[in-house]
Amino acid sequence: MTRTIFGKAALMATVALGVAAGSGRPAEAPLLITFDQVGSDVVATLSGSLNITALSFGTTDTFGALIRSDAALVYTGGAVDQYFGASGPGTIGPGNTRFASSRSGDAFAMQGSSGRIAPPAGYVSGTPLSASMTFTNQTFATLGMTPGTYVWTWGREATADSLTIQIGVPEPASALLLGAGLLGLGLMRRRA
């Protein structure tokens, strides 16, 4: 009987893994920026793509890698083309400016309080973006960030797009995988 329960738990875990693997983001997915506490550091990861056709071009500029949560400012550093027209929250917390300890990947900037979205200079809509920043020896509290999910949107119908910032929020696939594993362990323990 224990073998059957273990077999069912293994099957559920395999199904959960399949669902998690199948829920991966395609190359042309809305842009997602996650902030996670990793040990004593906060790590920001940017992935996805943008449709900028419904936004209005402003200027080209260069920024350093930083966050300013009281204006929903996130800059991964580098040369960017600034576009305006996104709407969403004006803040992601009460904090002030903090510079990243390190960065890698594509240049990107946003300022939620002004509706500014700024992909790398010369960006073509739909091109995948990827970047990361590390804030060494920081927490969400020291960065002045309020955990949660924040969304900015722009455009309509074919030009509609969005950008999401998740601060300390687990991805659904991770939560599903963890839940399936805990369920399997619970079933095995119950039978033992």
Side-chain angles (χ1 to χ4, degrees):
M1 191 66 147
T2 302
R3 197 159 112 190
T4 305
I5 295 298
F6 178 74
K8 288 180 183 178
L11 176 63
M12 285 190 288
T14 302
V15 169
L17 281 172
V19 170
S23 66
R25 298 168 53 82
E28 291 189 32
L31 199 64
L32 173 65
I33 304 172
T34 60
F35 287 87
D36 295 304
Q37 187 72 49
V38 180
S40 63
D41 304 335
V42 172
V43 177
T45 306
L46 175 143
S47 63
S49 65
L50 295 168
N51 181 342
I52 56 175
T53 57
L55 298 171
S56 300
F57 179 75
T59 61
T60 298
D61 208 341
T62 302
F63 296 100
L66 62 92
I67 181 169
R68 182 175 169 196
S69 56
D70 67 343
L73 245 104
V74 177
Y75 299 155
T76 65
V80 294
D81 288 338
Q82 299 184 61
Y83 292 87
F84 295 88
S87 60
T91 179
I92 56 174
N96 54 18
T97 303
R98 295 289 180 127
F99 288 90
S101 306
S102 63
R103 70 161 301 275
S104 65
D106 293 312
F108 179 79
M110 70 158 295
Q111 182 175 10
S113 61
S114 67
R116 176 176 47 177
I117 304 294
Y123 180 76
V124 175
S125 285
T127 303
L129 294 170
S130 176
S132 68
M133 297 185 294
T134 299
F135 298 86
T136 304
N137 295 320
Q138 298 292 322
T139 65
F140 298 143
T142 62
L143 293 175
M145 302 172 75
T146 303
T149 299
Y150 304 85
V151 179
W152 290 263
T153 60
W154 60 92
R156 295 168 57 176
E157 297 174 11
T159 64
D161 205 354
S162 66
L163 180 153
T164 300
I165 291 180
Q166 291 182 335
I167 301 169
V169 178
E171 294 181 46
S174 299
L176 176 64
L177 191 57
L178 175 63
L182 291 174
L183 177 64
L185 286 172
L187 286 173
M188 286 181 3
R189 187 174 212 187
R190 184 174 169 210
R191 284 301 210 182

